[in-house]
């Protein structure tokens, strides 16, 4: 079965990878699944901060406070906030208490998928129309080579995104330096 999160691959490959990894761990390690889903939500928040140019809180820069900053800007509707809250609380419980539940993880997988659809429609492709969510089939064990492959893909996607951002910043810097040089030349005349 193709991952429910595959639709994110073209625009947000890191989200597609995290969502797919969460699905992979649903039955074999629901604790890890919940942690991955929390990471999925946190990654969306961080992308929103970057894409919308919202400054991170200078004091107590936590995931919860970044969500609050986005809410103050009017960028998160109540139903989206509820999903972020559910993913964050489940991730915290999984990380700090060792909690895991395949039943809860299935519910949160679908909630995270809905969040991914919303994110795609707002930040990726406004015309995107999703297929329906399908509960992943039960797998006996997660193949460690698959995990390694997906993790490498996630790192490569992140590196590509960082390189593109760096190139964009270099171009912006060059344009501003040229503008400053032009202004200095005009002042000298």
């Amino acid at each position: 079965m193709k991952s429910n999160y595959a639709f994110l691959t073209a625009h947000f490959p890191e989200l597609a990878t995290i969502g797919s990894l969460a699905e992979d761990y649903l039955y074999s390690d629901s604790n890890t699944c919940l942690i991955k889903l929390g990471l999925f939500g946190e990654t969306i928040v961080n992308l929103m901060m970057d894409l919308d140019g919202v400054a991170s809180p200078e004091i107590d820069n936590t995931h919860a406070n970044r969500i609050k900053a986005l809410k103050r800007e009017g960028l998160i509707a109540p139903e989206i906030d509820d999903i972020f809250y559910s993913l964050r609380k489940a991730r915290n419980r999984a990380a700090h208490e060792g909690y895991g539940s395949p039943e809860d993880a299935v519910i949160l997988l679908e909630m995270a998928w809905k969040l991914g659809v919303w994110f795609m429609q707002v930040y990726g492709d406004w015309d995107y129309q999703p297929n329906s969510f399908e509960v992943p089939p039960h797998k006996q064990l997660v193949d460690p080579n698959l995990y390694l492959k997906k993790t490498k893909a996630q790192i490569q996607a992140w590196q590509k995104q960082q390189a593109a951002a760096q190139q964009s910043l270099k171009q912006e810097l060059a344009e501003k330096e040229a503008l400053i040089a032009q202004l200095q030349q005009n002042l000298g005349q």
Side-chain angles (χ1 to χ4, degrees), residues 4-6 8-9 13 32 34 60 79-80 96 108 110 118 124-126 131 138 146 150 154 161 174 177 179:
N4 286 296
Y5 297 87
L8 293 162
T9 302
T32 298
L34 295 172
D60 201 21
E79 59 274 9
I80 298 302
H96 301 293
L108 290 166
E110 186 169 6
W118 169 82
D125 178 0
W126 291 1
N131 295 322
H138 194 291
L146 178 64
K150 287 184 176 187
Q154 182 181 8
Q161 185 180 27
E177 287 175 340
L179 180 61

Side-chain angles (χ1 to χ4, degrees), residues 82-148:
D82 290 344
I83 296 173
F84 281 129
Y85 179 82
S86 297
L87 295 176
R88 184 175 63 82
K89 292 307 257 187
R91 186 261 330 265
N92 287 348
R93 188 170 177 206
H96 301 293
E97 299 173 20
Y99 177 74
S101 161
E103 295 79 16
D104 287 352
V106 166
I107 293 166
L108 290 166
L109 272 170
E110 186 169 6
M111 290 175 75
W113 173 79
K114 288 177 183 177
L115 179 64
V117 169
W118 169 82
F119 188 72
M120 172 61 91
Q121 290 173 335
V122 173
Y123 292 91
D125 178 0
W126 291 1
D127 296 323
Y128 175 72
Q129 292 302 313
N131 295 322
S132 59
F133 177 84
E134 294 180 28
V135 175
H138 194 291
K139 296 179 184 176
Q140 295 295 42
L141 293 173
V142 174
D143 178 1
N145 292 327
L146 178 64
Y147 176 78
L148 181 62

Side-chain angles (χ1 to χ4, degrees), residues 18-49:
I18 296 167
S20 177
L21 287 170
E23 289 176 320
D24 290 344
Y25 284 107
L26 172 60
Y27 301 108
S28 64
D29 187 357
S30 59
N31 172 269
T32 298
C33 175
L34 295 172
I35 291 170
K36 292 291 183 192
L37 291 173
L39 178 61
F40 183 85
E42 188 160 355
T43 302
I44 287 180
V45 167
N46 291 337
L47 286 168
M48 290 176 68
M49 300 285 287

Side-chain angles (χ1 to χ4, degrees), residues 39-87:
L39 178 61
F40 183 85
E42 188 160 355
T43 302
I44 287 180
V45 167
N46 291 337
L47 286 168
M48 290 176 68
M49 300 285 287
D50 289 342
L51 294 169
D52 289 313
V54 177
S56 295
E58 291 183 23
I59 299 173
D60 201 21
N61 184 13
T62 63
H63 179 49
N65 285 337
R66 287 189 296 276
I67 291 171
K68 288 177 187 174
L70 291 169
K71 285 181 1 186
R72 279 193 301 274
E73 296 292 326
L75 297 171
I76 298 178
E79 59 274 9
I80 298 302
D81 185 35
D82 290 344
I83 296 173
F84 281 129
Y85 179 82
S86 297
L87 295 176

